[in-house]
Amino acid sequence: MTAVESVGEFRFECGESVENLRLAYETYGEFDGSNAVLVCHALTGSQHVSNAPAGADHDDEVGDAVETAGQARAWWNDVVGPGKAIDTTEYYVVCVNVPGSCYGSSGPPADGPDGEPWGTDFPPVTVGDWTRAQRRLLDRLGVGRLHAVVGGSVGGMNAVDWAKRFPDDVRRVAAVATAPRLDTQCLSLDAIARRAITTDPDWNGGDYYGDDRPSPDDGLAQARRIGHVMYLSKASMGRKFGRRAAGRDAFGDAPDDPTGRFFPYREVESYLDYNAESFTGRFDANSYLYLTRAMDEYDLAAGYGSDAEALAAYEGELLALSFTGDWHFTVEQSRALAAAARDGDVPTAHHVVDSDHGHDAFLVEPEAVGPPLRAFLADGVDGRAVRDEDDDEPSGGGGGGPDRAPVHSSLFPG
Amino acid sequence: MTAVESVGEFRFECGESVENLRLAYETYGEFDGSNAVLVCHALTGSQHVSNAPAGADHDDEVGDAVETAGQARAWWNDVVGPGKAIDTTEYYVVCVNVPGSCYGSSGPPADGPDGEPWGTDFPPVTVGDWTRAQRRLLDRLGVGRLHAVVGGSVGGMNAVDWAKRFPDDVRRVAAVATAPRLDTQCLSLDAIARRAITTDPDWNGGDYYGDDRPSPDDGLAQARRIGHVMYLSKASMGRKFGRRAAGRDAFGDAPDDPTGRFFPYREVESYLDYNAESFTGRFDANSYLYLTRAMDEYDLAAGYGSDAEALAAYEGELLALSFTGDWHFTVEQSRALAAAARDGDVPTAHHVVDSDHGHDAFLVEPEAVGPPLRAFLADGVDGRAVRDEDDDEPSGGGGGGPDRAPVHSSLFPG
């Protein structure tokens, strides 16, 4: 169950402050002083990472237990829980809803100082703000050094940011389906998604809260449709939906468009429409603007000369986990992240999962994600199920970057 | 200069008819009885393919010469003209604005029987309708058998449709950056683009014509932004724009969005916004709906058991020209088209251009597109500059599909 903790005045990277930042979070398992694992959620995820039993602090220690309406379902229940890869009988798992989001933490739809929703008066947030806010909450929970930070997608940027910002505070960072920074193509699609929201008349400059006012559902739905295309691969979309017309029991509604009168409403449209519609019931349009801005802005090298320098002070180990069919956060980007970490003398593995599920793979392939994560949490990059991409390549296979071969040879002889 | 010809009553594939279909077209060069080349334009292209001198018929033979306001600039001027790959001193080049478009042919913004714009009362169109309408116009121009049909993108589908629908009427079909049918990912993006238009309140169910009424520019601009992402590759976007902030002299305007107050307006956004804005000045939103519907619906195999059967009656030769960085119409799709044609005993070459320009390559790399096109028009698949993808592969290189390797081995031993 979600708890909410106030962590006091918080100054954001943009220079603006809020008087009392509230953070919604969940914990699972028992803290033994050295077994804390922070899990960072993706763009539209929440603190509700698992259906596992809540940690003890939720009963009485800190925070107010709350019910969060419309919350996303447990988004990594196959990976986090008793006996699962991130085993809540072994680790004390903490997941925090990032500031700017809409699942109970301070953000645009939450009440501001005047008792009205913040709206766009809420300070712009960055991934660094998320990291610093998480640090603040962990202090309240009595967690000093983390055993690990694990995150996927922009949550992976959040995880990597821990290694950059608090290099002594974490032993192991697992950066799943992520990148040191977003590429131009994805920046473009995010900008288009935001335009869909800001050109929806019901967005009204961000001022749409209140029961009697329409919310910008058309725009938010469009943003989500674009998102889903980014989360799937060409191959997985083709395999799942092909060019088939939707059946009678299709989810979603064909758009009211007379130019479609001779043409089928396709299964893939039905899928996108259904998901877009359910998304508008659980997410806030302004939060979508805030969080995509944070993701777009994230640049591991910012403040340093390079990614390697940003990671040079990090004392722990890094697992970069990537998926061959992911075009949102590509294998090449994870490779670059791993190379930078190695350049910064961080013990690193880049584990590539062969998958055509696209970016969604990190959510929908627990059988591929679980074993390396479990092994990395237990034994670091030397964990048995952690495979570095150079490990199993035939000599001269050329799959890894040419700059990697010497490092590989020395670390994994024979 | 554009001429407009009325070709009489026309029944569309959907079953609806118009009393008098009007077709805007341009011709270049002189017809000698056997040198006609039909060029098929892409989704938002026009009949104005070149700035070359107009053909003789534009002076007096048929059609009414007209000025078409806001027409797209000559979209293939580097490829079509005197001395160019499609040499207008040698060939009689005809390009027809497809029905449903907005450059002078019958379509939603053109006047219907009551003197008012058709709007969404215009019949839904298909690529097959375009082919049949072009056949009708060529009859009026006195052109029986075509020397060649050349088209790119959905214009390439149009070109291939000639081989399917009028197999005796064309000697050579050059299908550039195209596919037998669109894949699921692109169907999705087209559906999202249409939603952007139909959810724009100014679209008003398709009824927005008239000087005193707003047109759905926000929606059409969004559709165009999505289009541009499809037309470029990840690599070309990265190379052109990176993550740079737009300078002071940026084109386009940053969206009016307070959530962006701490973040840069990026060059790539500026590029998309500028192009989107200029597009709304030259294209019609309803036409965009009609033409994407036609593209999405096209399926070479429709009415036949397979692509190969659809092409089996074709008596001419086929050049499929594809680009390695194109994810809208992929190399694999061109390969499938070529394989189907070969299965139908059509002399075929699949010429792959190594390019990271994405789908735009067929427009922006005339130096790569011109030589194989020129050679194919002159000498068919045996033309010197026509390279079949199997020709220059190192033995065992693996670039072709696995089903092709045996063919390769036997054709090019050692």
Side-chain angles (χ1 to χ4, degrees):
Chain A
M1 181 176 291
T2 288
V4 177
E5 174 73 0
S6 295
V7 298
E9 189 184 349
F10 190 87
R11 187 180 164 87
F12 291 81
E13 287 197 325
C14 64
E16 300 175 34
S17 296
V18 300
E19 226 169 278
N20 194 6
L21 187 73
R22 286 164 60 82
L23 295 172
Y25 69 99
E26 299 201 0
T27 67
Y28 313 87
E30 304 296 330
F31 186 44
D32 70 6
S34 66
N35 69 337
V37 174
L38 177 70
V39 175
C40 303
H41 66 72
L43 192 69
T44 64
S46 77
Q47 64 278 18
H48 188 46
V49 63
S50 170
N51 293 323
D57 60 89
H58 275 233
D59 296 329
D60 47 27
E61 294 186 17
V62 299
D64 307 311
V66 296
E67 291 280 353
T68 307
Q71 176 162 295
R73 66 188 181 79
W75 57 269
W76 226 10
N77 195 48
D78 292 329
V79 170
V80 179
K84 297 180 180 169
I86 302 178
D87 190 340
T88 54
T89 65
E90 190 166 348
Y91 300 109
Y92 174 65
V93 173
V94 183
C95 187
V96 188
N97 186 223
V98 299
S101 181
C102 52
Y103 291 118
S105 289
S106 295
D111 285 349
D114 59 357
E116 298 293 312
W118 279 100
T120 59
D121 288 338
F122 192 75
V125 298
T126 63
V127 172
D129 291 325
W130 302 349
T131 308
R132 290 167 50 242
Q134 288 156 345
R135 178 66 275 174
R136 193 83 76 87
L137 178 75
L138 291 168
D139 289 342
R140 302 275 171 136
L141 294 176
V143 175
R145 194 167 188 221
L146 286 159
H147 177 67
V149 182
V150 180
S153 195
V154 69
M157 290 172 157
N158 190 171
V160 170
D161 195 60
W162 267 88
K164 168 185 177 179
R165 199 170 294 267
F166 300 112
D168 303 323
D169 286 3
V170 53
R171 277 183 209 103
R172 287 171 188 154
V173 168
V176 182
T178 195
R181 64 196 61 75
L182 223 54
D183 71 25
T184 317
Q185 189 182 50
C186 294
L187 289 176
S188 302
L189 289 166
D190 280 351
I192 294 170
R194 284 192 296 271
R195 279 275 187 173
I197 292 169
T198 60
T199 56
D200 184 329
D202 292 336
W203 179 63
N204 192 34
D207 181 16
Y208 54 82
Y209 299 107
D211 286 345
D212 54 339
R213 305 172 65 183
S215 51
D217 289 348
D218 281 346
L220 185 57
Q222 280 287 86
R224 187 61 168 180
R225 289 185 187 98
I226 292 169
H228 273 289
V229 174
M230 295 170 84
Y231 306 151
L232 300 172
S233 69
K234 216 181 239 308
S236 66
M237 293 193 96
R239 197 182 56 238
K240 270 188 184 170
F241 309 109
R243 294 172 46 89
R244 285 187 300 278
R248 272 164 198 252
D249 54 347
F251 297 114
D253 295 313
D256 187 15
D257 174 4
T259 74
R261 64 185 180 268
F262 181 59
F263 303 108
Y265 177 59
R266 295 184 196 275
E267 268 189 19
V268 69
E269 291 179 78
S270 164
Y271 168 84
L272 294 173
D273 291 346
Y274 173 76
N275 281 286
E277 192 188 316
S278 64
F279 184 65
T280 61
R282 74 167 179 91
F283 213 78
D284 176 69
N286 281 332
S287 285
Y288 202 85
L289 301 176
Y290 275 82
L291 302 191
T292 58
R293 294 275 188 197
M295 175 164 68
D296 290 5
E297 183 66 7
Y298 191 70
D299 186 342
L300 172 57
Y304 292 83
S306 67
D307 294 343
E309 288 174 43
L311 293 174
Y314 174 48
E315 296 288 327
E317 302 181 61
L318 177 76
L319 169 66
L321 193 58
S322 68
F323 302 87
T324 52
D326 187 349
W327 63 278
H328 189 356
F329 290 91
T330 66
V331 168
E332 290 69 26
Q333 288 174 313
S334 274
R335 185 173 295 140
L337 173 63
R342 286 192 175 98
D343 283 352
D345 286 328
V346 176
T348 300
H350 177 208
H351 184 110
V352 182
V353 174
D354 191 24
S355 161
D356 74 355
H357 273 115
H359 188 54
D360 268 355
F362 87 94
L363 296 171
V364 301
E365 295 199 48
E367 69 287 358
V369 170
L373 265 190
R374 181 196 296 270
F376 178 69
L377 291 189
D379 302 309
V381 296
D382 295 328
R384 269 184 79 90
V386 175
R387 198 175 65 233
D388 189 69
E389 68 169 334
D390 289 337
D391 283 4
D392 46 6
E393 265 177 34
S395 173
D403 54 331
R404 304 274 310 289
V407 177
H408 162 63
S409 309
S410 62
L411 284 177
F412 308 96
Chain B
M1 180 175 291
T2 288
V4 177
E5 174 73 1
S6 295
V7 298
E9 189 183 350
F10 190 86
R11 188 180 164 88
F12 290 82
E13 287 196 325
C14 64
E16 300 175 35
S17 296
V18 300
E19 227 170 277
N20 195 6
L21 186 73
R22 286 163 62 83
L23 295 172
Y25 69 100
E26 298 201 1
T27 68
Y28 312 88
E30 304 294 329
F31 186 45
D32 71 6
S34 66
N35 69 336
V37 173
L38 177 70
V39 175
C40 303
H41 66 73
L43 193 69
T44 64
S46 77
Q47 64 279 18
H48 188 46
V49 63
S50 169
N51 293 323
D57 59 272
H58 275 233
D59 296 329
D60 46 27
E61 293 185 19
V62 298
D64 307 311
V66 295
E67 291 280 353
T68 307
Q71 176 163 294
R73 67 187 181 77
W75 56 270
W76 227 10
N77 195 49
D78 291 328
V79 171
V80 179
K84 295 178 182 171
I86 303 180
D87 190 340
T88 54
T89 65
E90 189 168 348
Y91 301 108
Y92 174 66
V93 172
V94 183
C95 187
V96 187
N97 186 221
V98 299
S101 182
C102 52
Y103 291 118
S105 289
S106 294
D111 286 348
D114 59 358
E116 298 293 314
W118 279 100
T120 59
D121 288 338
F122 192 75
V125 298
T126 63
V127 172
D129 291 326
W130 302 348
T131 308
R132 290 167 50 242
Q134 288 156 344
R135 178 67 273 174
R136 192 84 75 88
L137 178 76
L138 291 168
D139 289 342
R140 301 275 171 136
L141 294 175
V143 176
R145 193 167 189 221
L146 287 159
H147 177 66
V149 182
V150 180
S153 195
V154 69
M157 290 171 156
N158 190 173
V160 170
D161 195 60
W162 267 88
K164 169 184 176 179
R165 198 170 294 269
F166 300 114
D168 304 323
D169 285 4
V170 53
R171 277 183 209 101
R172 288 170 188 154
V173 167
V176 182
T178 195
R181 65 196 60 76
L182 223 53
D183 69 26
T184 317
Q185 188 181 52
C186 295
L187 289 175
S188 301
L189 289 167
D190 280 351
I192 294 170
R194 284 192 296 270
R195 280 275 186 171
I197 293 169
T198 60
T199 55
D200 184 329
D202 292 336
W203 179 63
N204 192 33
D207 181 18
Y208 54 80
Y209 299 106
D211 286 344
D212 55 340
R213 306 172 66 183
S215 51
D217 289 348
D218 281 345
L220 185 58
Q222 279 288 86
R224 187 59 167 181
R225 290 186 187 97
I226 293 169
H228 273 290
V229 174
M230 296 170 83
Y231 306 152
L232 299 172
S233 69
K234 214 180 240 306
S236 66
M237 294 192 95
R239 196 182 56 239
K240 270 188 183 170
F241 308 110
R243 293 172 47 89
R244 286 188 299 279
R248 273 163 197 253
D249 54 347
F251 296 115
D253 295 313
D256 187 15
D257 174 5
T259 74
R261 63 185 180 270
F262 180 59
F263 304 108
Y265 177 59
R266 295 183 196 277
E267 268 189 21
V268 69
E269 291 179 79
S270 164
Y271 168 84
L272 294 174
D273 291 345
Y274 174 75
N275 281 287
E277 192 188 316
S278 64
F279 184 64
T280 61
R282 74 167 178 91
F283 212 77
D284 176 69
N286 281 331
S287 285
Y288 202 85
L289 300 176
Y290 275 82
L291 301 191
T292 57
R293 293 276 187 194
M295 177 164 64
D296 290 5
E297 183 65 9
Y298 191 71
D299 187 342
L300 173 57
Y304 292 84
S306 67
D307 294 343
E309 288 174 44
L311 293 174
Y314 174 47
E315 295 287 327
E317 301 180 63
L318 176 77
L319 170 66
L321 194 58
S322 68
F323 302 86
T324 52
D326 187 350
W327 63 279
H328 189 357
F329 290 91
T330 67
V331 168
E332 290 68 27
Q333 288 174 313
S334 273
R335 185 174 295 139
L337 173 63
R342 287 192 176 98
D343 283 351
D345 286 329
V346 176
T348 300
H350 178 208
H351 184 110
V352 182
V353 174
D354 191 25
S355 161
D356 74 355
H357 273 114
H359 188 54
D360 268 355
F362 86 94
L363 297 171
V364 301
E365 295 200 46
E367 68 288 358
V369 170
L373 265 189
R374 181 195 296 271
F376 178 69
L377 291 188
D379 301 310
V381 295
D382 295 328
R384 269 183 80 89
V386 175
R387 199 174 64 232
D388 190 69
E389 69 169 333
D390 288 337
D391 283 5
D392 47 7
E393 264 176 39
S395 173
D403 52 332
R404 307 275 307 289
V407 177
H408 163 61
S409 308
S410 61
L411 284 177
F412 309 97

